[in-house]
Amino acid sequence: MMWKFVLPVLAAVFAVGFASFVGGYQNIDVNDAGARKALDAAVIQHNRGSNDMYLSRVAEVTKVQRQVVSGLKYIITVRMGKTPCRKNAAQELCEIHEDPESARPYQCTFTVWSRPWLNESTVEKEEC
């Protein structure tokens, strides 16, 4: 008779305890290869969509989270900065301005859905 009470309680404890792991976001290493590809796609789209004449680059990756869905969903928080390279110029390697006033640092959070088997990344959300 006691098992009728204990079994549901144990099931509830395990469900609550594992809820953060199954289907939830997990913090991952900022150097994860999949996260880097997702971030590259997000920065390209960010630069294309901005009205700024100059390109922005990632100064620092502050947080990366991943969720397993039908693919992988990444939430990546970064600090961005402006470069001296114009958008329409030939792509060259540009560093962020050293002067903070010229770099105008700002924070962005990108949500990217990646399906690596299709070689596809979609930026779902961008908050800067």
Side-chain angles (χ1 to χ4, degrees):
M1 187 74 109
M2 182 72 159
W3 64 269
K4 288 182 180 179
F5 175 75
V6 173
L7 190 58
V9 170
L10 283 176
V13 167
F14 283 122
V16 170
F18 291 121
S20 63
F21 298 117
V22 178
Y25 283 99
Q26 295 179 342
N27 292 331
I28 62 170
D29 184 9
V30 297
N31 296 314
D32 177 81
R36 284 294 194 194
K37 283 185 177 184
L39 180 57
D40 289 345
V43 171
I44 289 169
Q45 183 170 321
H46 171 73
N47 279 317
R48 284 183 184 153
S50 77
N51 291 328
D52 202 315
M53 291 181 359
Y54 298 95
L55 292 172
S56 293
R57 282 195 57 184
V58 174
E60 177 186 13
V61 179
T62 56
K63 185 175 184 179
V64 181
Q65 294 182 306
R66 178 177 60 203
Q67 179 185 31
V68 177
V69 290
S70 57
L72 300 168
K73 188 178 279 191
Y74 295 96
I75 296 180
I76 307 169
T77 304
V78 296
R79 289 190 53 239
M80 302 282 288
K82 301 291 181 188
T83 70
C85 294
R86 291 182 176 267
K87 282 185 180 180
N88 57 1
Q91 296 302 318
E92 55 191 75
L93 185 59
C94 290
E95 296 300 321
I96 296 170
H97 286 285
E98 289 183 22
D99 174 30
E101 191 165 321
S102 297
R104 295 181 293 173
Y106 58 100
Q107 181 172 302
C108 290
T109 300
F110 301 109
T111 302
V112 182
W113 178 35
S114 173
R115 295 187 294 175
W117 63 92
L118 296 175
N119 200 23
E120 177 181 281
S121 291
T122 305
V123 180
E124 294 186 327
K125 191 174 182 183
E126 174 184 331
E127 294 176 332
C128 295

